[in-house]
Amino acid sequence: MKNFEISKLLRNVAAVYSIKDEKKYRFQLLAYQKAADAIESLPTELNDLYKENKLQGIDGIGPTIQSRLTELLKTGKVQHFEEIMKEIPKSIFPLLDIPGFGPKKAYKLVTQFNLKNPDTVIVDLENIAKKGDIANLPGFGEKSQADVLRAIKEFKLGKGKSTRMTLPYANELARIIITYIEKSDAVLAAYPLGSLRRGKDTIGDIDIAVSTNKPQEVLDHFINYPFKERIIERGDRTSSMLVSSGRQIDLMVQSPEGFGALLQHFTGSKAHNVHLREYALSKGLSVSDFGIKKKKDEKAAYKKYKTEESFYEALGMQWIPPEMREDTGEIELALQHKLPELIKLSDIKGDFHLHSNFSIEESHDSGQNSMEEMIEEALRLGYKYLGFSEHNPSIGNHTEKEICTLLEKRLKYIDKMRLKYKNFIRIFSLLEIDILASGKLAIPESAFAYLDAAIVSIHSSFAMNRENITERILQGLSHPKAKIFAHPTSRLINQRAPIELDFEKLWNFCKKNDKAFEINAAPQRLDLTDILIREAVNKGITLIINTDSHAIDQMNLMKYGVTVARRGWATKRDILNTMDYNKLTSWFSNEATKGGE
DNA sequence: GCCGTTTTCGGCCCGACTGTTTTCAGTCG
């Protein structure tokens, strides 16, 4: 069973508790939801942890749920779950994926109309709504019947949150909406918040906060957005709409005097906010998006905060960078004023994963721009050095000698560039070399003479088991010139699942042998992921952020790599390409032991 | 059911909005 299936099962358990007796099981229900969250953000398959006897100690999973998970992974089912689910029709579960459907509504509809087949329940319900039978149910009416129809229709079309956006897409959508919002004179400031501000690798919907003294004017303006598809809701201080691309935009307004608290609230994450508010309660304070007040004093007005800094300060904390706000220890550190100083884009001094159009008859796609053009762009970005790393010449079409000839020709050209730009930027001769299914690298030994170092990566035969593919990579990395392992999990967001690796083994090998893991900044990769970066940072693994650019306009995607590195709590010291040129060259030549300044 | 710079027991974030209701239930973030 995969993690996503297990977390879904736990959410279903929570739904069943809520149907049975929401009040009685209120905290069990929460515990199961929290456990599901915890499993979703695990870097490792639970099943692997179970096999290695490492199921204990996961944050958010206590002894009871741990024993249920053990039973699940051992026998494929859980006695307790079977029992509590006995009298709840399984057909409610598919409905829970539809926005607007919660456990209660799903249960009511499924039992009222005796819908027993989980495979057809959505269509069955749609047909019943079309007949007009839902409107007569107690607690339902014409509008809620129309809502059911609309919700099912939108769900089938994949609108709302069925697929998550990549960061550049979400950024652009937010920019368009904010440009529109700012046309209203009532808007003093408007910012994108939520997971976009936290820099998550994928974004569900766009959250926007507006500072204003005239909330009604702002909301009126917002709901008149010309490219809207539908207004989901419109209240006194919030509104939501679907825009024509099917994406959801959530808006919240606040006065400028209280805007700090709204920034904090709407940035999230939920887990961060809950923890923050629980901590505040322990100090006798109640926190909301309006501000902070004394807990017992129900009538008292919230004390307002203009900025986030003053808000966190009022709770005795350092301001916490949005990328860290996932409730994974940042609140405790902020209380001690010991947050790490995260890496910044301006710390980056070069990019080592660049594909130019210099042809060496590569195995995979070549770049679109010349080396000169890429160098000029690197200069524009203020870089001190860069590395060219085209794909290796295809092995099927070339003899070993031909491969050497091609790389020699390329090195000569790189030398020409080195001369031309010698006063401005340093250039490394790298290559992105396939680790073949056998574990061998895809160029002959003699060809390494033309390289300063090599990036190694996997581009085929992904479907190997965890153990074999880990061995394959270790073998590829064991070459002394193989210094960087690129896009380690090979995932493509919304397209290709990550490969499963034994990171424990890989970390240990890389630490011992001075190899770096790449943080690939391409927004469809972001690989390593934030969680794995955090692990690597904890283990003291050297990391490097590269764009994998195949054209000059991709070179500015470095910012996404830096963002994901920040989400992994990486500091400048953890990142190879923040180092000075001299330290870098000694690292590449296996003379150094650990990066940093 | 979880968890501890608030405790190993006694707590568990805070608020908005809609629809069907006359004071609330359900869903969402």
Side-chain angles (χ1 to χ4, degrees):
Chain A
M1 230 177 164
K2 297 279 186 191
N3 285 358
F4 75 92
E5 295 167 297
I6 295 170
S7 67
K8 185 131 195 170
L9 175 63
L10 297 186
R11 284 189 206 290
N12 287 348
V13 170
V16 167
Y17 273 133
S18 130
I19 291 164
K20 279 182 163 322
D21 190 336
E22 175 144 25
K23 284 213 174 88
K24 184 175 166 192
Y25 296 115
R26 187 161 153 228
F27 298 110
Q28 277 93 329
L29 185 163
L30 236 53
Y32 275 95
Q33 282 169 349
K34 214 169 179 182
D37 290 341
I39 290 169
E40 266 168 22
S41 60
L42 276 183
T44 318
E45 286 295 326
L46 221 46
N47 200 27
D48 293 332
L49 291 176
Y50 165 70
K51 280 189 217 152
E52 291 163 22
N53 208 7
K54 286 184 189 160
L55 227 44
Q56 74 287 352
I58 300 171
D59 244 6
I61 297 178
T64 306
I65 294 184
Q66 190 196 315
S67 80
R68 308 248 195 263
L69 292 174
T70 306
E71 185 184 345
L72 179 70
L73 292 165
K74 195 170 177 181
T75 67
K77 56 183 181 180
V78 180
Q79 200 60 44
H80 174 69
F81 294 173
E82 309 259 308
E83 258 162 47
I84 62 165
M85 287 182 171
K86 218 184 279 170
E87 63 263 44
I88 307 289
K90 291 203 170 18
S91 48
I92 65 160
F93 299 125
L95 293 177
L96 298 180
D97 294 331
I98 302 173
F101 281 81
K104 306 270 182 62
K105 195 197 261 186
Y107 182 71
K108 235 185 228 171
L109 290 168
V110 159
T111 48
Q112 283 291 336
F113 296 110
N114 200 24
L115 306 175
K116 286 192 176 140
N117 187 346
D119 298 328
T120 62
V121 64
I122 295 176
V123 180
D124 293 343
L125 186 63
E126 191 177 24
N127 290 332
I128 287 163
K130 277 181 185 159
K131 274 196 289 178
D133 290 348
I134 291 179
N136 303 323
L137 246 47
F140 289 79
E142 288 294 337
K143 278 192 175 167
S144 40
Q145 175 169 279
D147 268 354
V148 167
L149 272 176
R150 197 217 61 251
I152 291 176
K153 191 177 159 201
E154 284 180 357
F155 178 73
K156 283 181 169 172
L157 290 168
K159 287 185 180 166
K161 293 165 196 174
S162 53
T163 59
R164 295 177 63 88
M165 295 172 263
T166 58
L167 277 168
Y169 184 99
N171 269 326
E172 180 58 11
L173 179 55
R175 192 193 60 77
I176 291 168
I177 305 289
I178 285 179
T179 303
Y180 168 77
I181 288 173
E182 285 174 339
K183 283 183 185 160
S184 161
D185 293 337
V187 172
L188 300 171
Y191 299 108
L193 304 179
S195 51
L196 186 53
R197 183 169 181 229
R198 300 200 311 280
K200 270 200 77 164
D201 52 5
T202 59
I203 308 299
D205 52 25
I206 305 285
D207 299 320
I208 295 172
V210 171
S211 168
T212 180
N213 288 314
K214 300 172 184 167
Q216 295 313 313
E217 254 180 65
V218 173
L219 288 159
D220 284 340
H221 174 66
F222 177 68
I223 64 170
N224 281 320
Y225 180 63
F227 305 110
K228 67 173 180 273
E229 178 165 312
R230 173 169 80 82
I231 303 298
I232 296 169
E233 60 179 44
R234 196 274 199 217
D236 289 337
R237 49 184 303 262
T238 74
S239 176
S240 295
M241 75 162 99
L242 280 184
V243 293
S244 52
S245 55
R247 300 296 177 179
Q248 184 172 332
I249 319 290
D250 295 338
L251 186 82
M252 287 187 92
V253 299
Q254 187 63 270
S255 68
E257 291 74 30
F259 198 52
L262 180 63
L263 286 173
Q264 195 289 317
H265 165 76
F266 214 14
T267 298
S269 65
K270 183 183 171 186
H272 175 87
N273 286 359
V274 169
H275 190 165
L276 197 75
R277 289 167 185 196
E278 278 173 355
Y279 171 76
L281 273 183
S282 76
K283 298 287 170 196
L285 300 170
S286 176
V287 165
S288 81
D289 48 320
F290 291 103
I292 304 174
K293 68 175 182 184
K294 286 232 169 69
K295 180 188 172 185
K296 285 174 190 145
D297 204 350
E298 281 183 17
K299 283 178 200 154
Y302 281 100
K303 186 166 171 7
K304 293 177 177 176
Y305 298 89
K306 271 188 191 168
T307 65
E308 261 188 355
E309 285 82 354
S310 59
F311 180 89
Y312 277 104
E313 197 184 333
L315 294 169
M317 296 177 198
Q318 259 179 301
W319 177 81
I320 302 173
E323 296 92 334
M324 297 181 83
R325 300 184 196 170
E326 301 290 347
D327 189 26
T328 55
E330 74 281 5
I331 288 175
E332 290 81 357
L333 285 183
L335 280 167
Q336 302 169 42
H337 290 73
K338 283 184 181 166
L339 288 173
E341 192 173 333
L342 304 182
I343 182 172
K344 305 184 297 290
L345 182 59
S346 57
D347 293 329
I348 299 291
K349 295 197 173 96
D351 191 342
F352 286 101
H353 197 154
L354 300 174
H355 295 266
S356 78
N357 68 4
F358 189 94
S359 175
I360 48 172
E361 299 162 33
E362 297 98 309
S363 52
H364 308 288
D365 49 341
S366 57
Q368 294 166 26
N369 292 99
S370 67
M371 286 190 183
E372 282 99 324
E373 287 167 329
M374 297 193 103
I375 293 166
E376 293 289 345
E377 180 65 13
L379 287 171
R380 204 185 62 73
L381 292 167
Y383 290 165
K384 306 291 182 212
Y385 43 72
L386 63 83
F388 286 110
S389 51
E390 288 74 25
H391 290 288
N392 57 266
S394 63
I395 45 171
N397 302 330
H398 299 97
T399 64
E400 293 193 352
K401 188 151 181 252
E402 285 168 342
I403 291 177
C404 287
T405 308
L406 285 166
L407 289 177
E408 185 182 12
K409 189 179 80 172
R410 193 186 75 129
L411 180 58
K412 277 187 180 154
Y413 194 78
I414 288 177
D415 281 337
K416 226 167 102 181
M417 293 297 106
R418 283 169 168 161
L419 201 61
K420 181 172 174 187
Y421 290 98
K422 69 173 180 192
N423 294 327
F424 306 103
I425 197 164
R426 315 299 285 259
I427 302 166
F428 290 87
S429 169
L430 308 176
L431 195 68
E432 184 179 11
I433 307 175
D434 287 338
I435 306 173
L436 303 173
S438 64
K440 289 209 172 74
L441 297 179
I443 66 170
E445 187 55 39
S446 50
F448 280 96
Y450 306 106
L451 307 177
D452 295 318
I455 295 175
V456 296
S457 58
I458 286 185
H459 289 93
S460 61
S461 307
F462 298 107
M464 290 168 76
N465 72 36
R466 182 167 177 256
E467 200 183 353
N468 290 344
I469 206 156
T470 302
E471 283 308 318
R472 170 185 175 189
I473 292 160
L474 288 176
Q475 199 184 325
L477 273 170
S478 62
H479 192 285
K481 278 207 169 170
K483 294 295 288 180
I484 298 167
F485 178 36
H487 43 74
T489 78
S490 290
R491 76 150 175 184
L492 291 173
I493 291 171
N494 294 337
Q495 293 174 56
R496 184 167 68 212
I499 53 177
E500 279 166 46
L501 297 169
D502 186 339
F503 277 100
E504 203 60 36
K505 263 190 188 166
L506 289 167
W507 300 144
N508 291 337
F509 179 87
C510 288
K511 173 121 185 158
K512 196 171 159 199
N513 298 288
D514 267 325
K515 312 288 183 182
F517 266 75
E518 180 181 75
I519 297 170
N520 192 295
Q524 73 276 17
R525 287 195 185 270
L526 295 176
D527 179 13
L528 294 175
T529 58
D530 46 10
I531 296 163
L532 286 166
I533 293 168
R534 180 92 179 267
E535 272 199 16
V537 166
N538 286 339
K539 300 262 179 194
I541 307 300
T542 302
L543 299 166
I544 180 168
I545 310 176
N546 290 322
T547 62
D548 201 353
S549 289
H550 288 67
I552 53 169
D553 58 4
Q554 294 167 11
M555 289 171 68
N556 70 0
L557 299 175
M558 184 63 83
K559 60 190 172 200
Y560 295 114
V562 171
T563 298
V564 69
R566 288 169 64 84
R567 288 182 57 80
W569 295 29
T571 67
K572 192 176 170 181
R573 279 172 10 96
D574 300 305
I575 308 294
L576 194 65
N577 47 332
T578 63
M579 285 170 37
D580 290 334
Y581 173 77
N582 289 335
K583 283 191 179 169
L584 203 56
T585 43
S586 66
W587 187 85
F588 271 125
S589 58
N590 298 313
E591 288 163 12
T593 49
K594 174 78 181 83
E597 304 246 317

